[in-house]
Amino acid sequence: MEKREMLYEGKAKRVYKTDDEKLFVIEFKDDATAFDGKKKGTIHDKGILNNKISEGLYTMLEAQGIPTHFVKRLSDRDVLVKAVKIMPLEVLVRNIAAGSLTKRLGIPEGKQLPFTILEFCLKDDSLGDPQINEDHIRAMELATDEQVAEIKKYALKINELLSAFFKARGITLVDFKLEFGLYGDQVILADEISPDTCRLWDAATGEKLDKDRFRRDLGNVEEAYQEIFNRLDK
Ligand code: UDP
């Protein structure tokens, strides 16, 4: 499937039309940003690793009954996906306190949460992706109540599946971000799941194997992404 007109360029990916209006190609870049774009850099071969990691995770999720946009990986950096309309919501799923939960609420990093916390953010870079609640979603007509219920059900199921999948590979799934899209009137999982969008800690040592290595200048960033990829096959 050939890439045609570029529709959108984001921080880490480009989205292209194809000759089939129901399909897009997503190209994964090596660019990395953090802190609302204030920190910029590149992570060597990140695009290739994230494309392949996301392929592995979406294939597993599809096999377990989660509808996703994934069709097939076309090359190192390109993946063929269903052409969805992305819903302007980021869905954050948290098992262990880290990141903004620590910064904003003072919960110590690493504290096991008594239950999974779901949060929504408005996907709007100019506003800094602010956190919103279900009333905001309803008032702004970002999604219907039925769609929100479906998104929450999928997010919790995806958390169960991913947590078990990573646990079997010696990795703790701390938190992650999901994006959903509309394919016709069907809500399906879109975007990517990778060390850019998850916090992944080595279960034995607690070593961070995700984008926090870039955010916090911890070094060995490429090696961490490579390690996650290597463990997927296990
Ligand atoms: N996350 C993401 N994109 C965003 C915001 C968050 O992929 O725009 C992921 C992040 O990598 C982490 C989880 O969502 O795995 C929770 O992020 P948090 O709210 O703690 O924000 P952060 O401190 O990472 O900006």
Side-chain angles (χ1 to χ4, degrees), residues 90 92 94 99-100 103 175 177 196-199 215:
E90 293 189 342
L92 305 189
R94 302 178 181 277
S100 61
K103 267 179 270 159
D175 61 23
K177 187 249 327 179
D196 269 7
T197 65
C198 301
R199 285 195 173 88
R215 292 189 187 98

Side-chain angles (χ1 to χ4, degrees), residues 38-49:
K38 288 193 267 295
K39 183 180 170 93
K40 287 193 174 70
T42 59
I43 301 172
H44 181 68
D45 284 350
K46 170 173 82 80
I48 298 174
L49 291 165

